[in-house]
Amino acid sequence: MNRMLKLVAYAVGSIMALGALLAALNSMHYAVAARTVEIATLRAIGFASSAVAVAVLTEALLLALSGAVVGVAIAYAAFNGAVISTLGGALWDSQLVYALNITPSLVVIAILLACVVGLVGGTIPAIRVARSNVADALHET
C-alpha cells in the first residue's frame, strides 16, 4: 500500500510540476512581451544579448524563489505536525495513519525544485529575447 501511495504522490507531483513549468513559461513570456521596447532599447545602447537573457533568467529565478518561500511557509503552517488518518472511514478494512512533518531536507528539495522549474520556464523567453531583432522591436512603438 505504501508503494502505491508513493506512486500516486509522484504522479500527482509530476503533473503539478508540469503545470508550474507552463505557468512560469507563460509568466516570463508575457513579461518579455510587455517589455519588448525596453529590452530593445537596452540592446540598442550596447547591452549584449547574453546580458539581457541573463536578466530574464534572473527574474525568473527570483520569482520562483519567492514563490517557493511563500509555498514552504504555507505548507509549514498548514501541515507540519498534522496527522492524517483513515481510521473509522476506511474502505476494505485498511487503516492508514500518516504524520506529516516538514523537515529541513524537504524544504531544500522544494526550493531547489521550484528554482529549477523557474529557470527552465524562463529559458525559452530568455532565448527569444537574445535572438530578437532590435530594429524590429523598436519599430513596433
Side-chain angles (χ1 to χ4, degrees):
M1 187 63 148
N2 196 19
R3 184 174 174 212
M4 183 63 151
L5 185 61
K6 282 185 179 180
L7 179 67
V8 169
Y10 284 126
V12 170
S14 298
I15 292 169
M16 291 181 71
L18 179 64
L21 176 68
L22 293 175
L25 178 66
N26 187 30
S27 296
M28 291 312 300
H29 178 74
Y30 178 74
V32 167
R35 291 183 292 194
T36 301
V37 175
E38 291 87 354
I39 293 169
T41 303
L42 289 175
R43 297 267 318 272
I45 62 173
F47 278 72
S49 59
S50 60
V52 177
V54 167
V56 170
L57 286 174
T58 302
E59 181 181 353
L61 181 63
L62 289 174
L63 286 171
L65 188 60
S66 62
V69 168
V70 169
V72 164
I74 291 171
Y76 188 82
F79 299 116
N80 194 36
V83 176
I84 296 176
S85 172
T86 60
L87 299 176
L91 299 176
W92 304 294
D93 279 341
S94 67
Q95 298 176 349
L96 300 173
V97 177
Y98 287 99
L100 304 175
N101 293 316
I102 309 296
T103 62
S105 62
L106 185 62
V107 170
V108 169
I109 290 170
I111 290 174
L112 287 176
L113 183 61
C115 289
V116 167
V117 167
L119 283 176
V120 171
T123 300
I124 292 174
I127 291 171
R128 181 176 166 259
V129 162
R131 293 183 179 173
S132 66
N133 187 348
V134 176
D136 288 342
L138 289 174
H139 188 280
E140 290 178 6
T141 59

